[in-house]
């Protein structure tokens, strides 16, 4: 049997690695066994930290300390609560200074309240009892507890997509086609498109209206029948359009040219009257 001292002085022996080493490998990287951690592997200092309690702010921590020890929220023992609060702030200040800033502000408020409770109370000018230094803090804690309870109740309400899903069943009919539903706004949009295309291709036709001067001369004479004078404006019908007005004026001028009517005016800018030429004045 070889001496152990002789083995220590001999050259190192290369031992081949076994193919299956899962029972002694630290880890496996891409299927290959890893027997030691890499020297350049960076592990954040807080990678393996476990937070047993998570608080959403200073009020949440303060309410937790009060409820955990069954303190009366209307009669908070400030010394004990402040001591426990400061111990927690010391823990988080070494890890996250930005997070500890909010808690330090609440700690300063607790210390201020404790110092005010140690001082003799000051009576008010009206002789009433001074307000408890803890009153404002108690009010904020009660409001926060109500909001937190309401938020918890809301979180317990079943939420679509988280607690349940809407069942959707599609039945395909092989013989009866399934057409999409058409809304009223879709029909209105389609009709507007049709009208727009129709305006682009429509033709505007201009037709000449057959107006007879002789016919309107007869109409003017009928209007003057039995009337001594007729105002010039009464002989025109504005509702029939400009072409009829023009033809009526031409008919009146033709009647005056043929001495069938007389057009008179008492003075400049006075009303104009028309009468039949053979009507006695």
């Amino acid at each position: 049997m070889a001496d152990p001292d002789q083995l220590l002085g001999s050259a190192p022996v290369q031992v081949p690695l076994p193919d299956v080493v899962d029972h002694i490998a630290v880890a496996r990287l891409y299927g290959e066994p890893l027997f030691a951690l890499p020297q350049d592997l960076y592990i954040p200092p807080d990678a393996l930290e476990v937070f047993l309690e998570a608080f959403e702010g200073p009020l949440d921590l303060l309410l937790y300390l009060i409820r955990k020890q069954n303190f009366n929220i209307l009669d908070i023992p400030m010394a004990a609560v402040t001591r426990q609060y400061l111990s927690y702030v010391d823990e988080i200040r070494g890890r996250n200074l930005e997070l500890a800033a909010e808690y330090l502000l609440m700690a300063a408020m607790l210390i201020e309240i404790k110092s005010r409770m140690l001082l003799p109370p000051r009576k008010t000018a009206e002789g009433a009892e001074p307000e408890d230094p803890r009153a404002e803090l108690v009010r904020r804690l009660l409001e926060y507890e109500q909001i937190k309870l309401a938020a918890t109740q809301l979180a317990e309400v079943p939420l679509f997509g988280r607690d349940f899903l809407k069942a959707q069943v599609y039945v395909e009919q092989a013989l009866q086609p399934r057409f999409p539903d058409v809304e009223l706004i879709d029909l209105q949009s389609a009709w507007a498109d049709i009208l727009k295309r129709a305006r682009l291709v429509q033709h505007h036709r201009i037709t000449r209206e057959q107006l007879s001067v002789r016919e309107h001369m007869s109409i003017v004479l009928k209007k003057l029948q039995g009337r001594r004078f007729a105002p010039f404006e009464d002989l025109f019908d504005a509702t029939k359009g400009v072409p009829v007005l023009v033809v009526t004026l031409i008919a009146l001028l033709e009647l005056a040219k043929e001495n069938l009517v007389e057009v008179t005016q008492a003075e400049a800018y006075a009303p104009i009257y028309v009468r039949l030429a053979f009507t006695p004045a």
Side-chain angles (χ1 to χ4, degrees), residues 135-152:
E136 178 63 21
L137 178 61
V138 170
R139 182 187 62 81
R140 293 176 58 185
L141 286 172
L142 291 176
E143 291 180 355
Y144 177 77
E145 189 176 27
Q146 292 177 356
I147 296 174
K148 186 176 181 179
L149 179 60
T152 304

Side-chain angles (χ1 to χ4, degrees), residues 78 106 143 150 226:
M78 297 304 300
M106 176 60 71
E143 291 180 355

Side-chain angles (χ1 to χ4, degrees), residues 10-254:
S10 60
V13 179
Q14 297 293 335
V15 179
L17 294 177
D19 295 336
V20 181
V21 289
D22 289 342
H23 58 285
I24 59 175
V26 177
R28 274 185 169 270
L29 182 62
Y30 298 109
E32 297 295 332
L34 188 65
F35 297 96
L37 294 177
Q39 297 300 324
D40 58 347
L41 180 62
Y42 173 73
I43 300 178
D46 56 348
L48 300 179
E49 287 187 353
V50 179
F51 293 91
L52 299 180
E53 297 292 344
F55 304 105
E56 298 180 357
L59 283 177
D60 196 21
L61 171 61
L62 187 59
L63 184 63
Y64 168 78
L65 295 175
I66 294 173
R67 292 308 186 193
K68 182 180 179 181
Q69 302 177 79
N70 295 324
F71 290 150
N72 185 3
I73 197 170
L74 300 178
D75 188 14
I76 303 174
M78 297 304 300
V81 172
T82 304
R83 190 181 308 109
Q84 297 175 14
Y85 192 91
L86 290 176
S87 63
Y88 180 83
V89 172
D90 289 339
E91 287 289 334
I92 64 174
R93 186 170 57 180
R95 296 180 174 87
N96 192 337
L97 186 60
E98 294 182 1
L99 180 62
E102 301 180 9
Y103 294 87
L104 287 173
L105 180 61
M106 176 60 71
M109 182 183 299
L110 294 176
I111 296 174
E112 180 189 2
I113 294 174
K114 180 60 180 176
S115 61
R116 288 171 58 189
M117 294 178 64
L118 295 176
L119 296 175
R122 294 181 180 180
K123 293 186 178 181
T124 59
E126 294 79 7
E129 290 294 330
E131 186 180 10
D132 192 333
R134 300 169 293 181
E136 178 63 21
L137 178 61
V138 170
R139 182 187 62 81
R140 293 176 58 185
L141 286 172
L142 291 176
E143 291 180 355
Y144 177 77
E145 189 176 27
Q146 292 177 356
I147 296 174
K148 186 176 181 179
L149 179 60
T152 304
Q153 294 175 352
L154 286 177
E156 294 175 355
V157 175
L159 181 64
F160 174 73
R162 184 192 66 183
D163 303 316
F164 65 92
L165 296 175
K166 182 179 179 181
Q168 297 181 354
V169 179
Y170 296 96
V171 180
E172 295 293 340
Q173 298 292 337
L175 300 178
Q176 183 178 2
R178 182 184 179 91
F179 298 103
D181 297 332
V182 180
E183 302 292 338
L184 179 61
I185 187 64
D186 298 330
L187 294 176
Q188 293 176 351
S189 178
W191 174 244
D193 292 339
I194 292 174
L195 292 180
K196 184 177 180 180
R197 291 197 302 267
R199 293 191 188 99
L200 294 176
V201 300
Q202 70 179 357
H203 300 282
H204 181 66
R205 296 183 179 180
I206 301 176
T207 58
R208 184 174 61 181
E209 185 178 1
Q210 300 296 331
L211 297 175
S212 174
V213 176
R214 288 294 176 181
E215 180 182 355
H216 283 77
M217 291 172 64
S218 301
I219 295 174
V220 172
L221 292 176
K222 287 180 181 179
K223 289 183 178 181
L224 294 176
Q225 289 290 337
R227 302 176 66 177
R228 183 175 182 183
F229 290 98
F232 183 77
E233 295 82 1
D234 291 353
L235 301 178
F236 298 89
D237 189 358
T239 61
K240 293 184 178 181
V242 176
V244 177
L245 296 178
V246 173
V247 174
T248 303
L249 178 61
I250 295 174
L252 186 60
L253 295 176
E254 288 292 334

